[in-house]
Amino acid sequence: MSNSASLTDSLMDHFVAKPCAASVDILYQDADMLVINKPSGLLSLSGKNPLNWDSVHYRLVNGQQDISPAFAQAKLPHRLDYGTSGIMLVGLTEQATQHLNRQFQIRAVQKRYLAMLDGWLTADEGMISAAIVKDKHGFGRVRICADTGMAALSQFRVLKRLNDPPRSLVAFTPHTGRTHQLRIHSQSIGHPILGCDLYHNTQSHQMAERLLLHASDIDFEHPTRLQPMHWHCPSPF
C-alpha cells in the first residue's frame, strides 16, 4: 500500500502487467471529483515501460472500457498498488486536486483496508509498529529496519477466523502511508497477505490468485464544499 506510487520506478521498468478486463467503477461523480473502485491487476498510473500503457489514469483520461465520458483533467491524489483493489479519489480540477493532495499530506484522510491473512492471529486487535526502509538489494521491495527506517503504524482488528486452511479476515487502519506498508507489516507478524508476491511465506503466495487486499472505506473532506464525506466499497473476497 502507498499514497505515492503503485510500484517503484525500478520495478516498473521491468514489470509487464497482464491485461485487465475488469472495469473501473465510478462510485460517485460531481464537477470536482470522482470516487472510483479500482480492480485488482490494474496499474494506477501507466508505467515507463510502453507495454504498461493501461492504467486507471489512462482509462479515465481516454474514456476506455465503458468509462464515458472521458475525464481529460483527471488527476490521482493517491494511488493503490497494482494488486490492491478498492477506493481511490480522483480530482477533476486543479483546485480540487490540490485540496485532496493536501488532505493526504497532512494525514487528514482516514482509510480502511480489508485483507485476508495466512493463519490465525492470536490477538483480536492491536497495533503494528515497525519502521520501513527501501530494500536496496530487493528489487522493488521494502524491509523492516528499526535503525534507518521511517516510522510506520498499522492498526488491525480481526473480523473473522476461517478454516481449511486457517485464515484471518482483518480490517487495517494505516496511520502512516509507507510503500507496501500493510503487506510488509503483515509478513512481519508472521501472517502475510494471501496472494502477495513480494512478502510471503512458503504457501501464502499460492493461496490466492490475486493479492487479497482491498481499500474498503475512506473519510475525507469534499474539496470545494468542505463537507465530511464517507464512502464504502464492499470487498470482493
Side-chain angles (χ1 to χ4, degrees):
M1 182 276 302
S2 173
N3 292 337
S4 60
S6 57
L7 288 170
T8 61
D9 289 342
S10 60
L11 181 59
M12 283 307 304
D13 288 341
H14 300 82
F15 173 81
V16 177
K18 296 179 181 178
C20 179
S23 297
V24 174
D25 296 326
I26 297 177
L27 306 177
Y28 171 80
Q29 174 182 346
D30 64 26
D32 302 299
M33 64 169 297
L34 305 173
V35 180
I36 64 169
N37 177 21
K38 183 187 96 66
S40 175
L42 182 65
L43 300 168
S44 291
L45 286 176
S46 303
K48 291 182 179 180
N49 188 325
L51 296 175
N52 292 329
W53 58 270
D54 192 18
S55 68
V56 170
H57 185 256
Y58 183 91
R59 293 186 186 187
L60 290 174
V61 170
N62 293 280
Q64 299 294 300
Q65 294 206 3
D66 300 326
I67 296 176
S68 181
F71 301 96
Q73 304 304 315
K75 302 291 184 184
L76 305 184
H78 77 127
R79 310 170 199 175
L80 294 176
D81 286 346
Y82 167 75
T84 306
S85 58
I87 293 178
M88 290 177 60
L89 304 184
V90 179
L92 297 182
T93 68
E94 187 65 29
Q95 178 187 0
T97 300
Q98 288 180 359
H99 194 283
L100 292 170
N101 275 330
R102 178 60 178 163
Q103 290 185 64
F104 281 105
Q105 289 168 0
I106 65 174
R107 299 179 185 172
V109 179
Q110 295 184 355
K111 295 170 287 181
R112 189 176 82 158
Y113 293 76
L114 296 179
M116 189 70 74
L117 275 53
D118 182 39
W120 291 339
L121 278 70
T122 303
D124 290 335
E125 58 185 29
M127 186 78 73
I128 305 170
S129 176
I132 295 172
V133 66
K134 182 179 179 180
D135 188 347
K136 296 180 180 179
H137 305 291
F139 187 57
R141 293 167 54 97
V142 299
R143 61 186 178 89
I144 302 296
C145 182
D147 295 330
T148 62
M150 300 286 287
L153 292 171
S154 302
Q155 186 176 354
F156 71 88
R157 181 165 58 91
V158 176
L159 302 178
K160 187 182 299 185
R161 292 179 176 89
L162 304 170
N163 295 301
D164 300 323
R167 294 155 290 150
S168 298
L169 180 62
V170 172
F172 275 116
T173 302
H175 293 275
T176 52
R178 310 300 178 201
T179 298
H180 297 173
Q181 177 176 315
L182 298 180
R183 296 163 71 181
I184 189 70
H185 272 180
S186 297
Q187 185 196 44
S188 74
I189 63 171
H191 299 280
I193 299 174
L194 302 190
C196 184
D197 59 339
L198 295 180
Y199 313 99
H200 54 81
N201 57 27
T202 55
Q203 74 271 355
S204 62
H205 183 201
Q206 290 75 35
M207 289 174 66
E209 295 183 354
R210 54 154 289 187
L211 175 67
L212 296 189
L213 179 62
H214 178 76
S216 63
D217 292 83
I218 194 164
D219 290 271
F220 62 99
E221 182 181 80
H222 190 278
T224 56
R225 299 200 298 269
L226 307 183
Q227 66 187 48
M229 297 191 73
H230 170 82
W231 281 95
H232 170 72
C233 181
S235 172
F237 55 83

